Amino acid sequence: MSDSTGSPSPSVPISPEASVPKSATADFLIVGVGASAGGLEALTALLKKLPARISFAMIIVQHMNPKHESLLVELLDQVTRLPVEWAATGQTLEPGHIYVAPPGSAVAMEDRNLVVQPSATRGCEIDYCLRALARDAANRAVGVILSGNGADGADGIRAIKAAGGFTFAEDKKSAGFSGMPDAAIETGCIDHVMAPENMAEELVRLADDARVLWPKIVAIEGGHSPGHADSVSMIFRLLAGRTGVDFSEYKDSTIRRRLARRMMLAKTTDLSEYVKLLQKNRDEVDLLFETLLINVTEFFRDRDYFDFLRERVLPPLISRRMDGTVLRVWVPGCATGEEAYSLAIVIHELLEEQAKVVPVQIFATDISEHVISTARAGVYSTADIASVAAERLRRFFVKTERGYTVQKSIRDMCIFARQNVLKDSPFSRLDLISCRNLLIYFSGKLQRKLIPVFHYALQPEGCLVLGSSESVGGYPELFDVADRRFRVYIRKATTLRSTFEFSLDPLPQGLAVPPPPFPNVPDEAREPFDIMREADRIVLNRHAPTGVLINDDMEIVQFRGDVSAVLAPAEGRASLNLLKMAREGLAGELHDGVRQAREQNIRIRKSGVSVMQGDTLRSIDIDVTPIEAVHSKERFFLVLFTPAEGQPPLREPESTPRANKSVSLAQIEQLRQDLHATRNYLQDTIEKHEATNQELRAANEEVQSSNEELQSTNEELETAKEELQSTNEELTTLNEELHRRQVELMQVNNDLNNLINSVHLPIIILGQDMRIRRFTPMTEKLMRAIPTDIGRPFSDIKINLDVKELPQLMNEVMDSLVIRELEVQDDQGRWYSLRVRPYRTAENKIDGVVLTLIDIDDLKRAMAELEEARDLARAVVDVAHEPLVVLNPQLRIKTANEAFCRLFATTSEASEGRPLFDLINGTSGDGDFRAELLGVLPTGVNLADRLIQIDLPAVGPTNCYLNAHRVTRGRRVYPLIVVSLQTEP
């Protein structure tokens, strides 16, 4: 829904299960508690606060070593008055009882009966129990996560939230180990975060409220509570007014279970009171909306489906894209994006295997802006990616501080947008629609509306994938079944036109507020006008002639007065044609008079026209006056009838017995004339009708031809309109995506500018073509660059550095990907460390180099001074006549002067690092000499000129002067021994 919502059981207003099990009708809550390290203290605090009588059952799953006997039941039994026992297969859950999972076992439920078996996966017993609880108890399930390490329980919390249950997690202050509670909180499915002792009170309240509220919900579903049903209708109106989404066509039972859940969290059990709360608090409306659109999804849900998709569905679709056209996929109800990203990863892997380059667009839509924002970010917790294989995790996700981020190349394939699939225009020219577990949440009416929409959106032979409990229903003429197990359908090419509408009304039909009625006019204000109007009516009825107002086709538009003496309804089909209603003897004169008035456009009067009124022949005068309409080209005629001179007023004669009256010769002559006129009129009429009939036949053929063309054009226009609406929806989606990326790009650009301006180092970025992309402000001073140099070749800039091989060096770095560093001088003699490193994109592509200059002039000068001082010290030592050597604490030679080297026939380079006694081996008393040397090692004080007499083989008796020193450089201390030899005379 959500767009509704989604695949797979995304933001939808019910649990992911298609049906509610029998146990879901139980009238008590079932609480599943998971704990691990530090869990005993939390369980103790929870159970201590529970009263002696509770109306819910509790199952405790604690991570324990299966090889050791557990005393958990005995320990918990000491802190509560409720019965505590080990869970066993076949036990029926009863309120007021606590069941503890045995060590190393997995506990499930079937129709409120426990099923205990050895755990197949260690460390996942809590998830297993909570998922089973969600399936069996639905909205009667409660999940509680207490202290522990790891992420066990996070998936079970998702399942309970999806089923409409309640969820708790222990807060960090009270949790000895917060790993498990934190993982549960990261799912976004936790209702309450609190200490265990507070959980006890909240669980008791929820259980009591449930016993009050659930019977009301059941009564509404069964149609036994009209008053409550009215409250639910008002809630739907409030939701529609706030969000534009009409939930009245969603499945009643699931919607009302979600509603009951939100009411219990809001601590109210009365529907009318909850309506008042919604009217006062908009935040509660938003929370209810999110509750109805609860999203539960995961990466690669149902692995068999994705394997089938990869092997059977996607290859034919990709093979048809050899011309480079885009492969287009739609995921309605994408929730937080896992389904869309999973499809993108599978398509990416398939394209890599086939070594094909095919552009891919995956449109992922949902009705909730919150979940769309999460999907766009592409950042998921450790619990979210638990179902992703290690190889895919390494290739397509990047580890960050916030969790795992989907790789940019995969995110670029997906376009996320907010859309209501029931109201907004669909996408078009799609190759695949993945709409799993969405239709089951809609009523049959909405399902029948969506299937033609999907048919319209797909290309010929495009694929529609539905959930395991869904089908195309009563539209076999639109889709062929490709695979019944995975509900894959192929679009049929049909001549039948799909009929559906795209509503532009933000509110559902019937929810719009009607305009205010016209203000009532007071009776006092209307009274004078009503009196004058009544007076006019009386005068006209008594003194005005009777008549009719006709149009140019002689159809009567208005009767004026009582015309029954001259006009009467004809037999057969009802008609208001003046000539058909004329009494005997009147039709010919009327036709002639109207014709003359039309042709001459003047008033025509005919006097002494005979007309039969009952059995009496009377004479009347006919007056025909043409009238021109003010705002129309249509012509009208006012035909008035007045009695001839000496005749009584026109009225229908009373019904009297027929009298024998003689007919005068004048009357007979008048009748002959009327008969002759009538014959002439009929002859003219027949001739005109024959001519008109031929014209009408020809015109009818033309009209039929034009009608067919218009119908064809109308169908083309309707098709074009629908395509334009779909294209507009797609462009809107793309525009939103581009706008979002533009905002992100602006933010990244701002961050980059601030970072560059704050870095006091010359840095310059070059592209593969060696053109300048960007540089820091320090570069302007050192390399004489200006802002207009961006985009110019680097060779155009005359830098003040002595580095002729720089272009060759940059090419080597791009080829070898090895960072190079060298020391260079500017024209003023200052030293810099020039580092050349490859420029890597987010896809690990080499797209240039980055040059960085670090000022090392002070360091170089200090090193030069140290070398100069060292050389000076060496020269001073070398000019000494006495042999002199400097030892480290290991009695190895650090340096020796030339006199010492001559004495022992060695060189300074050869002696450095050698043990002293390798050179003076054989010296008499060398053991004592070694002991003396070790004895004078610096121990915290300096020792000067300690005299030792030794006998060197080549020299003889020699005075040896020892000096111990501790040389300090910063935080490091270097102990040294200086030995100078002086031969006795």
Side-chain angles (χ1 to χ4, degrees), residues 804-842:
K804 297 180 181 179
E805 68 278 11
L806 183 57
Q808 180 182 356
L809 185 64
M810 291 189 293
N811 289 326
E812 290 178 359
V813 169
M814 285 194 294
D815 294 338
S816 63
L817 309 183
V818 177
I819 300 175
R820 298 292 300 275
E821 183 175 357
L822 66 158
E823 296 178 352
V824 297
Q825 279 185 296
D826 62 8
D827 51 6
Q828 296 180 359
R830 292 189 65 86
W831 285 94
Y832 295 89
S833 174
L834 175 62
R835 296 179 183 177
V836 185
R837 59 191 312 135
Y839 179 94
R840 297 177 185 269
T841 64

mmCIF file of all heavy atoms in Angstrom, residues 804-842:
data_model
loop_
_atom_site.group_PDB
_atom_site.id
_atom_site.type_symbol
_atom_site.label_atom_id
_atom_site.label_comp_id
_atom_site.label_asym_id
_atom_site.label_seq_id
_atom_site.Cartn_x
_atom_site.Cartn_y
_atom_site.Cartn_z
ATOM 1 N N LYS A 804 61.202 18.996 -13.453
ATOM 2 C CA LYS A 804 61.024 18.861 -14.896
ATOM 3 C C LYS A 804 60.289 17.574 -15.264
ATOM 4 O O LYS A 804 59.607 17.520 -16.285
ATOM 5 C CB LYS A 804 62.389 18.892 -15.583
ATOM 6 C CG LYS A 804 63.126 20.218 -15.386
ATOM 7 C CD LYS A 804 64.466 20.192 -16.072
ATOM 8 C CE LYS A 804 65.216 21.513 -15.866
ATOM 9 N NZ LYS A 804 66.548 21.517 -16.518
ATOM 10 N N GLU A 805 60.450 16.510 -14.450
ATOM 11 C CA GLU A 805 59.850 15.223 -14.813
ATOM 12 C C GLU A 805 58.436 15.062 -14.266
ATOM 13 O O GLU A 805 57.906 13.941 -14.235
ATOM 14 C CB GLU A 805 60.710 14.082 -14.286
ATOM 15 C CG GLU A 805 60.753 13.940 -12.765
ATOM 16 C CD GLU A 805 61.757 14.884 -12.108
ATOM 17 O OE1 GLU A 805 62.256 15.783 -12.819
ATOM 18 O OE2 GLU A 805 62.019 14.717 -10.909
ATOM 19 N N LEU A 806 57.772 16.163 -13.874
ATOM 20 C CA LEU A 806 56.446 16.054 -13.260
ATOM 21 C C LEU A 806 55.406 15.437 -14.197
ATOM 22 O O LEU A 806 54.658 14.549 -13.783
ATOM 23 C CB LEU A 806 55.986 17.431 -12.768
ATOM 24 C CG LEU A 806 54.639 17.458 -12.042
ATOM 25 C CD1 LEU A 806 54.666 16.510 -10.840
ATOM 26 C CD2 LEU A 806 54.293 18.870 -11.596
ATOM 27 N N PRO A 807 55.257 15.854 -15.479
ATOM 28 C CA PRO A 807 54.256 15.212 -16.359
ATOM 29 C C PRO A 807 54.450 13.706 -16.487
ATOM 30 O O PRO A 807 53.485 12.928 -16.421
ATOM 31 C CB PRO A 807 54.445 15.931 -17.691
ATOM 32 C CG PRO A 807 55.029 17.253 -17.318
ATOM 33 C CD PRO A 807 55.929 16.988 -16.153
ATOM 34 N N GLN A 808 55.706 13.292 -16.657
ATOM 35 C CA GLN A 808 55.975 11.858 -16.759
ATOM 36 C C GLN A 808 55.634 11.147 -15.452
ATOM 37 O O GLN A 808 55.077 10.041 -15.444
ATOM 38 C CB GLN A 808 57.440 11.636 -17.122
ATOM 39 C CG GLN A 808 57.829 10.156 -17.242
ATOM 40 C CD GLN A 808 59.300 9.982 -17.564
ATOM 41 O OE1 GLN A 808 60.021 10.974 -17.771
ATOM 42 N NE2 GLN A 808 59.757 8.753 -17.613
ATOM 43 N N LEU A 809 55.926 11.804 -14.337
ATOM 44 C CA LEU A 809 55.642 11.217 -13.033
ATOM 45 C C LEU A 809 54.143 11.024 -12.829
ATOM 46 O O LEU A 809 53.687 9.992 -12.317
ATOM 47 C CB LEU A 809 56.226 12.119 -11.938
ATOM 48 C CG LEU A 809 56.126 11.604 -10.505
ATOM 49 C CD1 LEU A 809 56.946 10.337 -10.340
ATOM 50 C CD2 LEU A 809 56.601 12.675 -9.532
ATOM 51 N N MET A 810 53.332 12.004 -13.252
ATOM 52 C CA MET A 810 51.881 11.883 -13.088
ATOM 53 C C MET A 810 51.325 10.747 -13.931
ATOM 54 O O MET A 810 50.423 10.012 -13.503
ATOM 55 C CB MET A 810 51.220 13.213 -13.457
ATOM 56 C CG MET A 810 51.514 14.330 -12.456
ATOM 57 S SD MET A 810 50.548 15.842 -12.729
ATOM 58 C CE MET A 810 51.225 16.388 -14.296
ATOM 59 N N ASN A 811 51.813 10.577 -15.141
ATOM 60 C CA ASN A 811 51.362 9.463 -15.989
ATOM 61 C C ASN A 811 51.729 8.119 -15.368
ATOM 62 O O ASN A 811 50.955 7.158 -15.429
ATOM 63 C CB ASN A 811 51.967 9.589 -17.385
ATOM 64 C CG ASN A 811 51.356 10.742 -18.167
ATOM 65 O OD1 ASN A 811 50.174 11.041 -18.020
ATOM 66 N ND2 ASN A 811 52.163 11.398 -18.982
ATOM 67 N N GLU A 812 52.926 8.042 -14.774
ATOM 68 C CA GLU A 812 53.329 6.792 -14.128
ATOM 69 C C GLU A 812 52.407 6.459 -12.953
ATOM 70 O O GLU A 812 52.067 5.296 -12.730
ATOM 71 C CB GLU A 812 54.780 6.910 -13.653
ATOM 72 C CG GLU A 812 55.800 6.949 -14.782
ATOM 73 C CD GLU A 812 57.215 7.110 -14.257
ATOM 74 O OE1 GLU A 812 57.377 7.217 -13.021
ATOM 75 O OE2 GLU A 812 58.157 7.139 -15.069
ATOM 76 N N VAL A 813 52.032 7.482 -12.196
ATOM 77 C CA VAL A 813 51.149 7.239 -11.056
ATOM 78 C C VAL A 813 49.791 6.721 -11.524
ATOM 79 O O VAL A 813 49.210 5.802 -10.934
ATOM 80 C CB VAL A 813 50.987 8.528 -10.228
ATOM 81 C CG1 VAL A 813 49.868 8.380 -9.204
ATOM 82 C CG2 VAL A 813 52.288 8.866 -9.522
ATOM 83 N N MET A 814 49.218 7.290 -12.594
ATOM 84 C CA MET A 814 47.927 6.814 -13.095
ATOM 85 C C MET A 814 48.022 5.392 -13.639
ATOM 86 O O MET A 814 47.064 4.627 -13.559
ATOM 87 C CB MET A 814 47.408 7.765 -14.184
ATOM 88 C CG MET A 814 46.855 9.065 -13.638
ATOM 89 S SD MET A 814 45.899 10.002 -14.845
ATOM 90 C CE MET A 814 47.194 10.424 -16.015
ATOM 91 N N ASP A 815 49.186 5.039 -14.191
ATOM 92 C CA ASP A 815 49.344 3.691 -14.744
ATOM 93 C C ASP A 815 49.616 2.656 -13.655
ATOM 94 O O ASP A 815 49.047 1.562 -13.664
ATOM 95 C CB ASP A 815 50.462 3.683 -15.769
ATOM 96 C CG ASP A 815 50.128 4.512 -17.005
ATOM 97 O OD1 ASP A 815 48.918 4.718 -17.246
ATOM 98 O OD2 ASP A 815 51.053 4.960 -17.704
ATOM 99 N N SER A 816 50.488 2.995 -12.700
ATOM 100 C CA SER A 816 50.910 2.020 -11.697
ATOM 101 C C SER A 816 50.088 2.074 -10.422
ATOM 102 O O SER A 816 50.140 1.152 -9.613
ATOM 103 C CB SER A 816 52.392 2.242 -11.353
ATOM 104 O OG SER A 816 52.568 3.523 -10.762
ATOM 105 N N LEU A 817 49.339 3.173 -10.208
ATOM 106 C CA LEU A 817 48.525 3.378 -8.999
ATOM 107 C C LEU A 817 49.377 3.420 -7.740
ATOM 108 O O LEU A 817 48.884 3.217 -6.624
ATOM 109 C CB LEU A 817 47.457 2.287 -8.849
ATOM 110 C CG LEU A 817 46.570 2.022 -10.060
ATOM 111 C CD1 LEU A 817 45.521 0.982 -9.712
ATOM 112 C CD2 LEU A 817 45.907 3.299 -10.524
ATOM 113 N N VAL A 818 50.665 3.691 -7.892
ATOM 114 C CA VAL A 818 51.585 3.779 -6.765
ATOM 115 C C VAL A 818 51.816 5.249 -6.441
ATOM 116 O O VAL A 818 52.105 6.063 -7.323
ATOM 117 C CB VAL A 818 52.933 3.092 -7.086
ATOM 118 C CG1 VAL A 818 53.899 3.256 -5.917
ATOM 119 C CG2 VAL A 818 52.697 1.622 -7.379
ATOM 120 N N ILE A 819 51.693 5.594 -5.173
ATOM 121 C CA ILE A 819 51.910 6.983 -4.750
ATOM 122 C C ILE A 819 53.394 7.307 -4.831
ATOM 123 O O ILE A 819 54.247 6.540 -4.342
ATOM 124 C CB ILE A 819 51.385 7.185 -3.308
ATOM 125 C CG1 ILE A 819 49.886 6.867 -3.238
ATOM 126 C CG2 ILE A 819 51.658 8.595 -2.827
ATOM 127 C CD1 ILE A 819 49.326 6.917 -1.842
ATOM 128 N N ARG A 820 53.707 8.422 -5.430
ATOM 129 C CA ARG A 820 55.101 8.872 -5.571
ATOM 130 C C ARG A 820 55.294 10.145 -4.758
ATOM 131 O O ARG A 820 54.400 10.996 -4.672
ATOM 132 C CB ARG A 820 55.426 9.137 -7.042
ATOM 133 C CG ARG A 820 55.304 7.915 -7.934
ATOM 134 C CD ARG A 820 56.386 6.889 -7.614
ATOM 135 N NE ARG A 820 57.712 7.431 -7.807
ATOM 136 C CZ ARG A 820 58.336 7.452 -8.979
ATOM 137 N NH1 ARG A 820 57.742 6.950 -10.054
ATOM 138 N NH2 ARG A 820 59.544 7.959 -9.089
ATOM 139 N N GLU A 821 56.499 10.243 -4.185
ATOM 140 C CA GLU A 821 56.825 11.415 -3.373
ATOM 141 C C GLU A 821 58.265 11.822 -3.646
ATOM 142 O O GLU A 821 59.166 10.968 -3.704
ATOM 143 C CB GLU A 821 56.633 11.089 -1.890
ATOM 144 C CG GLU A 821 56.869 12.264 -0.968
ATOM 145 C CD GLU A 821 56.545 11.946 0.484
ATOM 146 O OE1 GLU A 821 56.082 10.818 0.751
ATOM 147 O OE2 GLU A 821 56.757 12.836 1.344
ATOM 148 N N LEU A 822 58.484 13.112 -3.838
ATOM 149 C CA LEU A 822 59.835 13.621 -4.048
ATOM 150 C C LEU A 822 59.944 15.013 -3.448
ATOM 151 O O LEU A 822 58.939 15.706 -3.259
ATOM 152 C CB LEU A 822 60.195 13.645 -5.529
ATOM 153 C CG LEU A 822 59.430 14.595 -6.470
ATOM 154 C CD1 LEU A 822 60.256 14.853 -7.708
ATOM 155 C CD2 LEU A 822 58.087 14.022 -6.872
ATOM 156 N N GLU A 823 61.189 15.378 -3.161
ATOM 157 C CA GLU A 823 61.462 16.679 -2.560
ATOM 158 C C GLU A 823 61.880 17.657 -3.649
ATOM 159 O O GLU A 823 62.735 17.343 -4.484
ATOM 160 C CB GLU A 823 62.560 16.560 -1.507
ATOM 161 C CG GLU A 823 62.152 15.684 -0.335
ATOM 162 C CD GLU A 823 63.270 15.524 0.686
ATOM 163 O OE1 GLU A 823 64.399 15.987 0.387
ATOM 164 O OE2 GLU A 823 63.032 14.955 1.763
ATOM 165 N N VAL A 824 61.229 18.836 -3.648
ATOM 166 C CA VAL A 824 61.499 19.835 -4.688
ATOM 167 C C VAL A 824 61.728 21.184 -4.016
ATOM 168 O O VAL A 824 61.376 21.401 -2.846
ATOM 169 C CB VAL A 824 60.330 19.927 -5.682
ATOM 170 C CG1 VAL A 824 60.131 18.618 -6.422
ATOM 171 C CG2 VAL A 824 59.035 20.309 -4.947
ATOM 172 N N GLN A 825 62.333 22.108 -4.775
ATOM 173 C CA GLN A 825 62.584 23.463 -4.309
ATOM 174 C C GLN A 825 61.905 24.462 -5.230
ATOM 175 O O GLN A 825 61.779 24.226 -6.440
ATOM 176 C CB GLN A 825 64.094 23.765 -4.283
ATOM 177 C CG GLN A 825 64.829 23.238 -3.074
ATOM 178 C CD GLN A 825 66.272 23.672 -3.073
ATOM 179 O OE1 GLN A 825 67.034 23.289 -3.964
ATOM 180 N NE2 GLN A 825 66.664 24.457 -2.070
ATOM 181 N N ASP A 826 61.453 25.591 -4.620
ATOM 182 C CA ASP A 826 60.896 26.643 -5.457
ATOM 183 C C ASP A 826 62.000 27.598 -5.864
ATOM 184 O O ASP A 826 63.188 27.391 -5.535
ATOM 185 C CB ASP A 826 59.758 27.360 -4.728
ATOM 186 C CG ASP A 826 60.230 28.040 -3.451
ATOM 187 O OD1 ASP A 826 61.454 28.084 -3.203
ATOM 188 O OD2 ASP A 826 59.372 28.519 -2.683
ATOM 189 N N ASP A 827 61.625 28.633 -6.586
ATOM 190 C CA ASP A 827 62.641 29.550 -7.094
ATOM 191 C C ASP A 827 63.287 30.386 -5.999
ATOM 192 O O ASP A 827 64.285 31.071 -6.221
ATOM 193 C CB ASP A 827 62.030 30.472 -8.160
ATOM 194 C CG ASP A 827 60.758 31.147 -7.665
ATOM 195 O OD1 ASP A 827 60.434 30.986 -6.464
ATOM 196 O OD2 ASP A 827 60.087 31.802 -8.479
ATOM 197 N N GLN A 828 62.730 30.335 -4.768
ATOM 198 C CA GLN A 828 63.334 31.045 -3.648
ATOM 199 C C GLN A 828 64.139 30.114 -2.751
ATOM 200 O O GLN A 828 64.630 30.536 -1.710
ATOM 201 C CB GLN A 828 62.237 31.723 -2.814
ATOM 202 C CG GLN A 828 61.481 32.789 -3.591
ATOM 203 C CD GLN A 828 60.398 33.436 -2.750
ATOM 204 O OE1 GLN A 828 60.207 33.058 -1.596
ATOM 205 N NE2 GLN A 828 59.705 34.415 -3.332
ATOM 206 N N GLY A 829 64.259 28.868 -3.136
ATOM 207 C CA GLY A 829 65.088 27.922 -2.404
ATOM 208 C C GLY A 829 64.373 27.179 -1.292
ATOM 209 O O GLY A 829 65.019 26.416 -0.562
ATOM 210 N N ARG A 830 63.058 27.363 -1.116
ATOM 211 C CA ARG A 830 62.332 26.648 -0.072
ATOM 212 C C ARG A 830 62.046 25.217 -0.522
ATOM 213 O O ARG A 830 61.782 24.960 -1.698
ATOM 214 C CB ARG A 830 61.021 27.358 0.277
ATOM 215 C CG ARG A 830 61.215 28.697 0.955
ATOM 216 C CD ARG A 830 59.885 29.238 1.458
ATOM 217 N NE ARG A 830 59.312 28.404 2.497
ATOM 218 C CZ ARG A 830 59.627 28.526 3.803
ATOM 219 N NH1 ARG A 830 60.504 29.429 4.192
ATOM 220 N NH2 ARG A 830 59.061 27.728 4.688
ATOM 221 N N TRP A 831 62.111 24.332 0.435
ATOM 222 C CA TRP A 831 61.927 22.913 0.154
ATOM 223 C C TRP A 831 60.469 22.494 0.404
ATOM 224 O O TRP A 831 59.846 22.941 1.360
ATOM 225 C CB TRP A 831 62.845 22.062 1.023
ATOM 226 C CG TRP A 831 64.273 22.101 0.580
ATOM 227 C CD1 TRP A 831 65.255 22.919 1.032
ATOM 228 C CD2 TRP A 831 64.856 21.257 -0.415
ATOM 229 N NE1 TRP A 831 66.439 22.676 0.388
ATOM 230 C CE2 TRP A 831 66.223 21.647 -0.509
ATOM 231 C CE3 TRP A 831 64.401 20.231 -1.232
ATOM 232 C CZ2 TRP A 831 67.112 21.028 -1.397
ATOM 233 C CZ3 TRP A 831 65.278 19.623 -2.103
ATOM 234 C CH2 TRP A 831 66.627 20.021 -2.197
ATOM 235 N N TYR A 832 59.973 21.613 -0.485
ATOM 236 C CA TYR A 832 58.619 21.074 -0.366
ATOM 237 C C TYR A 832 58.655 19.568 -0.653
ATOM 238 O O TYR A 832 59.503 19.088 -1.439
ATOM 239 C CB TYR A 832 57.644 21.735 -1.345
ATOM 240 C CG TYR A 832 57.422 23.203 -1.090
ATOM 241 C CD1 TYR A 832 58.248 24.161 -1.683
ATOM 242 C CD2 TYR A 832 56.392 23.628 -0.253
ATOM 243 C CE1 TYR A 832 58.046 25.499 -1.441
ATOM 244 C CE2 TYR A 832 56.190 24.978 -0.009
ATOM 245 C CZ TYR A 832 57.015 25.910 -0.601
ATOM 246 O OH TYR A 832 56.822 27.249 -0.361
ATOM 247 N N SER A 833 57.734 18.871 -0.025
ATOM 248 C CA SER A 833 57.534 17.455 -0.340
ATOM 249 C C SER A 833 56.352 17.364 -1.313
ATOM 250 O O SER A 833 55.214 17.694 -0.945
ATOM 251 C CB SER A 833 57.250 16.652 0.930
ATOM 252 O OG SER A 833 56.917 15.312 0.600
ATOM 253 N N LEU A 834 56.607 16.950 -2.530
ATOM 254 C CA LEU A 834 55.576 16.834 -3.562
ATOM 255 C C LEU A 834 55.072 15.396 -3.604
ATOM 256 O O LEU A 834 55.851 14.474 -3.901
ATOM 257 C CB LEU A 834 56.135 17.243 -4.926
ATOM 258 C CG LEU A 834 55.191 17.055 -6.129
ATOM 259 C CD1 LEU A 834 53.951 17.915 -5.964
ATOM 260 C CD2 LEU A 834 55.910 17.375 -7.429
ATOM 261 N N ARG A 835 53.801 15.217 -3.299
ATOM 262 C CA ARG A 835 53.198 13.884 -3.313
ATOM 263 C C ARG A 835 52.214 13.804 -4.475
ATOM 264 O O ARG A 835 51.343 14.660 -4.618
ATOM 265 C CB ARG A 835 52.478 13.596 -2.003
ATOM 266 C CG ARG A 835 53.414 13.550 -0.808
ATOM 267 C CD ARG A 835 52.670 13.296 0.476
ATOM 268 N NE ARG A 835 53.569 13.326 1.626
ATOM 269 C CZ ARG A 835 53.171 13.186 2.885
ATOM 270 N NH1 ARG A 835 51.874 13.012 3.150
ATOM 271 N NH2 ARG A 835 54.048 13.229 3.870
ATOM 272 N N VAL A 836 52.340 12.771 -5.270
ATOM 273 C CA VAL A 836 51.465 12.536 -6.417
ATOM 274 C C VAL A 836 50.734 11.222 -6.171
ATOM 275 O O VAL A 836 51.364 10.168 -6.078
ATOM 276 C CB VAL A 836 52.260 12.481 -7.740
ATOM 277 C CG1 VAL A 836 51.299 12.363 -8.920
ATOM 278 C CG2 VAL A 836 53.149 13.708 -7.878
ATOM 279 N N ARG A 837 49.421 11.300 -6.049
ATOM 280 C CA ARG A 837 48.637 10.103 -5.783
ATOM 281 C C ARG A 837 47.490 10.018 -6.792
ATOM 282 O O ARG A 837 47.008 11.039 -7.290
ATOM 283 C CB ARG A 837 48.084 10.114 -4.359
ATOM 284 C CG ARG A 837 47.205 11.267 -4.021
ATOM 285 C CD ARG A 837 46.913 11.357 -2.520
ATOM 286 N NE ARG A 837 46.503 10.105 -1.963
ATOM 287 C CZ ARG A 837 46.971 9.608 -0.811
ATOM 288 N NH1 ARG A 837 47.860 10.308 -0.116
ATOM 289 N NH2 ARG A 837 46.548 8.451 -0.362
ATOM 290 N N PRO A 838 47.009 8.813 -7.107
ATOM 291 C CA PRO A 838 45.915 8.673 -8.096
ATOM 292 C C PRO A 838 44.590 9.185 -7.534
ATOM 293 O O PRO A 838 44.331 9.100 -6.340
ATOM 294 C CB PRO A 838 45.863 7.167 -8.367
ATOM 295 C CG PRO A 838 46.465 6.538 -7.164
ATOM 296 C CD PRO A 838 47.504 7.497 -6.645
ATOM 297 N N TYR A 839 43.757 9.723 -8.432
ATOM 298 C CA TYR A 839 42.404 10.199 -8.085
ATOM 299 C C TYR A 839 41.426 9.058 -8.330
ATOM 300 O O TYR A 839 41.232 8.613 -9.453
ATOM 301 C CB TYR A 839 42.051 11.415 -8.947
ATOM 302 C CG TYR A 839 40.671 11.984 -8.708
ATOM 303 C CD1 TYR A 839 40.488 13.022 -7.815
ATOM 304 C CD2 TYR A 839 39.561 11.489 -9.380
ATOM 305 C CE1 TYR A 839 39.225 13.569 -7.585
ATOM 306 C CE2 TYR A 839 38.299 12.015 -9.161
ATOM 307 C CZ TYR A 839 38.141 13.057 -8.267
ATOM 308 O OH TYR A 839 36.898 13.594 -8.041
ATOM 309 N N ARG A 840 40.798 8.571 -7.257
ATOM 310 C CA ARG A 840 39.883 7.427 -7.353
ATOM 311 C C ARG A 840 38.443 7.904 -7.208
ATOM 312 O O ARG A 840 38.138 8.703 -6.324
ATOM 313 C CB ARG A 840 40.181 6.389 -6.272
ATOM 314 C CG ARG A 840 41.564 5.753 -6.374
ATOM 315 C CD ARG A 840 41.794 4.785 -5.222
ATOM 316 N NE ARG A 840 43.131 4.246 -5.226
ATOM 317 C CZ ARG A 840 43.479 3.110 -5.848
ATOM 318 N NH1 ARG A 840 42.556 2.418 -6.493
ATOM 319 N NH2 ARG A 840 44.722 2.671 -5.822
ATOM 320 N N THR A 841 37.567 7.385 -8.066
ATOM 321 C CA THR A 841 36.135 7.699 -7.963
ATOM 322 C C THR A 841 35.477 6.725 -6.987
ATOM 323 O O THR A 841 36.122 5.813 -6.461
ATOM 324 C CB THR A 841 35.457 7.598 -9.336
ATOM 325 O OG1 THR A 841 35.519 6.231 -9.790
ATOM 326 C CG2 THR A 841 36.155 8.495 -10.347
ATOM 327 N N ALA A 842 34.162 6.955 -6.745
ATOM 328 C CA ALA A 842 33.428 6.063 -5.847
ATOM 329 C C ALA A 842 33.370 4.643 -6.385
ATOM 330 O O ALA A 842 33.222 3.687 -5.623
ATOM 331 C CB ALA A 842 32.006 6.594 -5.625
#
